[in-house]
């Protein structure tokens, strides 16, 4: 979280803009909260340059719930395709299998998810209802730096993108996207809010057994208030959107994220003590997994990092090693401090 956002939230906690209420105490249908909601939506649309023919939905359930909600709304009882690039796309596939015929169009599993299968090799079904990709694999540290253009691959199917862990870190080419979804908690605000941005023509085809609260049509028709939305999370996300605008918007964030990631990758590549195994053309700017070549030093590494106030560096248990997450709110100074520690630790172990 950007610190100015937390400070503003603290200052407004008991009395939002002289309303005499905390945002938590507002009715979601009252004019105060409606104004917060409308501002947040408008700011997000501007920041991400979302075209008018896409709806922005503020939902709940996180990225994992969307793994079910997307097939319930978009599969129309037909086949759907998945490109497997790491743990998250694997999870999405598993969930979609419960709701219809889910196929693997391509997979990088046999190479340990260290590269992206080239789009030209994807086996996209002729009648597939959509193709799902994970834009940034949070655990494996693999990111699409260009979204695939399914039309050039001979498919009219919409592209579904899980952008949970890199939303608002870079621009989105909406001409290639049918639907993008993401939990807010990595780059947009606190947990509890799920963002869905969906092309209008894809709405309105939910399966009969799709829960009403998860039916995109009902959610869109009710301005994301078919049921009570996560009001406080929307408010905080709205403050983050304003902060992003003050930082110069997405282009400025993207430039900053490139610089942050470059700093860490350049150091890792120059070192024989640490290693990142992901192919250079798809290395994530947000999540950088790396290993100590001598893994018996892992615990000493983490203890020293903690003492230097560098937290949450332990890699996901499915991959092991270390992982640095450089989300939008992480300043360049944070990465500089990490690189200084990496260098220092290597020296002390020589
Ligand atoms: C964190 C994450 C999710 C899971 O989101 P929840 O909000 O915990 O359901 C899904 N996809 C990706 C890529 C993630 O990084």
């Amino acid at each position: 979280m950007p610190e100015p956002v937390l400070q503003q939230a603290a200052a407004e906690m008991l009395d939002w803009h002289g309303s005499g209420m905390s945002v938590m105490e507002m009715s979601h249908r009252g004019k105060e909260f409606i104004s917060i909601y409308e501002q947040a939506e408008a700011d997000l649309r501007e920041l991400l340059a979302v075209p008018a023919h896409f709806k922005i939905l503020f939902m709940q359930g996180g990225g994992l719930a969307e793994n079910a909600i997307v097939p319930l709304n978009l599969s129309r009882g037909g086949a759907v395709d998945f490109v497997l690039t790491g743990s998250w796309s694997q999870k999405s596939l598993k969930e979609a299998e419960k709701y219809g015929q889910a196929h693997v169009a391509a997979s990088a599993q046999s190479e340990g998810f260290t590269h992206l299968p080239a789009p030209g090799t994807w086996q996209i079904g002729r009648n597939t209802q959509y193709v799902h990709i994970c834009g940034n694999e949070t655990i494996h540290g693999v990111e699409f730096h260009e979204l695939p253009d399914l039309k050039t691959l001979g498919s009219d199917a919409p592209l579904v993108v899980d952008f949970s862990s890199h939303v608002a870190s870079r621009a989105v080419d909406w001409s290639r996207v049918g639907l993008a979804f993401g939990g807010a908690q990595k780059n947009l605000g606190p947990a509890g809010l799920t963002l869905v941005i969906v092309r209008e023509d894809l709405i309105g085809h939910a399966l009969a057994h799709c829960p009403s609260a998860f039916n995109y049509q009902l959610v869109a028709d009710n301005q994301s208030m078919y049921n009570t939305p996560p009001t406080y999370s929307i408010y905080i996300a709205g403050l983050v959107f304003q902060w992003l605008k003050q930082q110069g918007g997405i282009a400025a964030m993207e430039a900053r994220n490139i610089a942050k990631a470059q700093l860490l990758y350049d150091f890792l590549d120059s070192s024989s003590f640490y290693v990142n195994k992901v192919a250079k053309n798809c290395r994530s700017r947000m999540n950088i997994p790396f290993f100590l070549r001598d893994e018996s030093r892992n615990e000493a590494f983490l203890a020293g990092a903690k003492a230097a106030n560098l937290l949450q560096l332990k890699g996901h248990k499915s991959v092991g090693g270390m992982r640095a997450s450089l989300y939008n709110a992480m300043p360049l100074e944070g990465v500089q401090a990490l690189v200084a520690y990496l260098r220092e630790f290597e020296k002390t172990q020589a």
Side-chain angles (χ1 to χ4, degrees):
M1 293 292 301
E3 208 170 301
V5 167
L6 296 177
Q7 275 159 355
Q8 186 176 345
E12 296 177 345
M13 172 65 79
L14 297 183
D15 181 7
W16 182 83
H17 294 199
S19 65
M21 289 179 279
S22 170
V23 174
M24 286 183 230
E25 298 170 311
M26 291 174 182
S27 162
H28 62 290
R29 303 197 187 281
K31 68 176 187 336
E32 293 88 356
F33 184 73
I34 298 281
S35 75
I36 290 171
Y37 168 87
E38 287 178 346
Q39 187 69 49
E41 187 191 334
D43 285 342
L44 181 65
R45 195 175 279 281
E46 180 188 330
L47 274 167
L48 293 185
V50 179
H53 63 291
F54 282 72
K55 292 277 190 206
I56 294 178
L57 310 179
F58 290 140
M59 299 182 66
Q60 300 186 68
L64 285 186
E66 289 304 323
N67 285 342
I69 297 169
V70 169
L72 282 165
N73 279 274
L74 263 53
S75 73
R76 307 189 197 199
V80 296
D81 276 316
F82 285 77
V83 177
L84 301 186
T85 53
S87 306
W88 287 110
S89 45
Q90 275 184 313
K91 268 199 181 146
S92 301
L93 166 72
K94 264 212 141 61
E95 189 72 6
E97 282 169 345
K98 297 183 189 169
Y99 301 98
Q101 315 143 48
H103 299 299
V104 176
S107 172
Q109 183 165 22
S110 60
E111 292 84 16
F113 295 126
T114 53
H115 80 283
L116 290 176
T121 67
W122 298 2
Q123 306 278 319
I124 299 173
R126 262 204 306 144
N127 297 313
T128 194
Q129 297 299 315
Y130 63 83
V131 177
H132 175 116
I133 65 168
C134 178
N136 181 62
E137 288 280 2
T138 322
I139 293 173
H140 287 88
V142 175
E143 182 171 11
F144 279 87
H145 290 299
E146 187 187 8
L147 291 175
D149 181 355
L150 296 185
K151 284 204 181 62
T152 66
L153 302 177
S155 174
D156 283 330
L159 182 71
V160 169
V161 186
D162 175 356
F163 66 175
S164 294
S165 56
H166 68 166
V167 56
S169 74
R170 59 187 306 145
V172 176
D173 181 352
W174 293 105
S175 72
R176 297 184 174 184
V177 174
L179 181 150
F181 71 81
Q185 67 270 26
K186 288 166 184 130
N187 251 345
L188 299 180
L193 167 65
T194 315
L195 181 64
V196 176
I197 303 180
V198 53
R199 224 172 60 204
E200 271 170 357
D201 62 289
L202 300 175
I203 297 179
H205 309 284
L207 300 177
H209 58 282
C210 176
S212 304
F214 295 151
N215 184 319
Y216 293 146
Q217 179 86 65
L218 283 173
V219 177
D221 288 351
N222 290 278
Q223 285 74 46
S224 300
M225 298 202 195
Y226 176 74
N227 66 329
T228 311
T231 51
Y232 200 77
S233 295
I234 291 173
Y235 156 70
I236 298 283
L239 296 183
V240 172
F241 301 156
Q242 285 171 18
W243 176 80
L244 287 169
K245 285 171 72 173
Q246 287 158 11
Q247 302 304 302
I250 299 302
M253 292 316 298
E254 182 162 3
R256 200 185 289 182
N257 288 324
I258 290 171
K260 281 155 50 184
Q262 191 72 45
L263 181 63
L264 183 50
Y265 282 121
D266 281 352
F267 174 77
L268 293 172
D269 288 345
S270 72
S271 159
S272 51
F273 191 81
Y274 307 97
V275 61
N276 168 285
K277 301 175 183 173
V278 178
K280 288 197 173 158
N281 68 349
C282 58
R283 285 174 161 184
S284 171
R285 295 172 187 162
M286 294 283 102
N287 311 97
I288 303 184
F290 62 92
F291 296 85
L292 278 61
R293 288 196 190 266
D294 175 359
E295 296 223 85
S296 72
R297 300 174 199 253
N298 282 0
E299 292 209 352
F301 176 87
L302 287 167
K306 192 170 172 210
N309 253 330
L310 298 161
L311 307 179
Q312 308 201 38
L313 283 167
K314 192 173 175 162
H316 191 271
K317 60 183 183 306
S318 63
V319 173
M322 308 298 157
R323 176 175 52 163
S325 287
L326 312 183
Y327 296 122
N328 276 347
M330 172 64 67
L332 180 65
E333 293 75 33
V335 188
Q336 288 166 337
L338 174 61
V339 169
Y341 172 70
L342 291 170
R343 194 173 276 128
E344 186 57 31
F345 182 78
E346 178 174 349
K347 257 194 229 143
T348 63
Q349 301 291 304

